[in-house]
Amino acid sequence: MNEITIRKVEVKDILGIIRVINESVMATHTRLYPPKDIQETLDNYTEEKVERYIKEYDYFVAEFNNEIVGCVLAKESKMRSLYVLPSFMGKSLGKRLVEKAEECVKANGYNEIFLWSSLVSHDFYIHMGYEDVKGIENMEGLILHIEMRKIFKP
Ligand SMILES: CC(C)(COP(=O)(O)OP(=O)(O)OC[C@H]1O[C@@H](n2cnc3c(N)ncnc32)[C@H](O)[C@@H]1OP(=O)(O)O)[C@@H](O)C(=O)NCCC(=O)NCCS
């Protein structure tokens, strides 16, 4: 049976990553975010920007049958941009990608990991053992992200 594999990104994955992020955001964010903020999130993932992230971050993708179905980034003590394709949600893939980023941050020599959660993924991170640090205000003073952290068990 085919399995979902998690591997380091390659340049050929860029369009697949953008598709995952677009579909994941459109499936989850419309209930809590206004269209302007959704567009701002999607604007962070143009081909040029994803190409730059690939160079600057440890970037991991989940692949199934030659299709990109999830992604996550790590750098120093931070995890970013966790997204799962909607049709692959609820199959422990988000959990596996978080664990991959945590491994990476541990290997970077940190004993804790930080992230900015979207409002829609906050409860997922709580479930994964993360705690709130503070709300992050946007230009209009609205809290649209929450900084969270997890201290690794020794
Ligand atoms: C959040 C997200 C990554 C979860 O991915 P997923 O693959 O569906 O989650 P998993 O199947 O790995 O779930 C792992 C565990 O978390 C739980 N869980 C999943 N979503 C949850 C939620 N919204 N609230 C609480 N628990 C949740 C599952 O029940 C599962 O629990 P278990 O291991 O005890 O059985 C996915 O829904 C997603 O991509 N959302 C949009 C992402 C986003 O907003 N990213 C912004 C950057 S932070």
Side-chain angles (χ1 to χ4, degrees):
M1 200 174 84
N2 290 333
E3 287 188 2
I4 303 172
T5 52
I6 295 178
R7 60 165 173 80
K8 283 212 88 157
V9 76
E10 295 174 34
V11 172
K12 70 176 169 64
D13 302 324
I14 290 175
L15 290 180
I17 289 168
I18 293 172
R19 173 183 163 239
V20 166
I21 294 172
N22 271 270
E23 291 199 19
S24 181
V25 165
M26 294 317 288
T28 57
H29 283 45
T30 48
R31 132 184 106 81
L32 285 178
Y33 286 95
K36 175 177 80 64
D37 295 296
I38 291 179
Q39 193 53 51
E40 269 175 29
T41 299
L42 297 180
D43 288 345
N44 286 325
Y45 299 100
T46 60
E47 282 184 54
E48 295 73 23
K49 287 184 181 171
V50 173
E51 194 171 354
R52 201 176 73 223
Y53 302 149
I54 287 178
K55 292 188 188 128
E56 291 177 0
Y57 290 82
D58 284 313
Y59 209 139
F60 301 97
V61 290
E63 185 177 41
F64 181 78
N65 279 349
N66 296 318
E67 182 187 14
I68 304 302
V69 296
C71 55
V72 71
L73 313 179
K75 186 173 187 179
E76 297 163 354
S77 62
K78 295 187 186 65
M79 164 167 44
R80 259 192 79 179
S81 300
L82 170 72
Y83 292 99
V84 171
L85 195 66
S87 49
F88 284 76
M89 288 177 186
K91 300 177 193 293
S92 300
L93 181 52
K95 182 177 178 174
R96 285 177 62 196
L97 287 164
V98 166
E99 287 168 354
K100 190 74 190 175
E102 289 177 355
E103 260 173 42
C104 190
V105 167
K106 276 184 205 165
N108 291 340
Y110 294 91
N111 59 9
E112 58 188 338
I113 177 166
F114 291 88
L115 60 86
W116 281 17
S117 168
S118 63
L119 301 177
V120 297
S121 45
H122 179 253
D123 291 352
F124 165 77
Y125 287 117
I126 295 282
H127 190 79
M128 294 297 297
Y130 285 71
E131 59 182 11
D132 293 351
V133 176
K134 60 177 189 286
I136 309 290
E137 288 183 13
N138 74 356
M139 306 272 269
E140 288 109 37
L142 297 172
I143 293 183
L144 298 181
H145 291 92
I146 302 130
E147 184 179 0
M148 302 182 81
R149 74 162 180 178
K150 179 167 160 179
I151 301 174
F152 298 132
K153 293 202 179 84

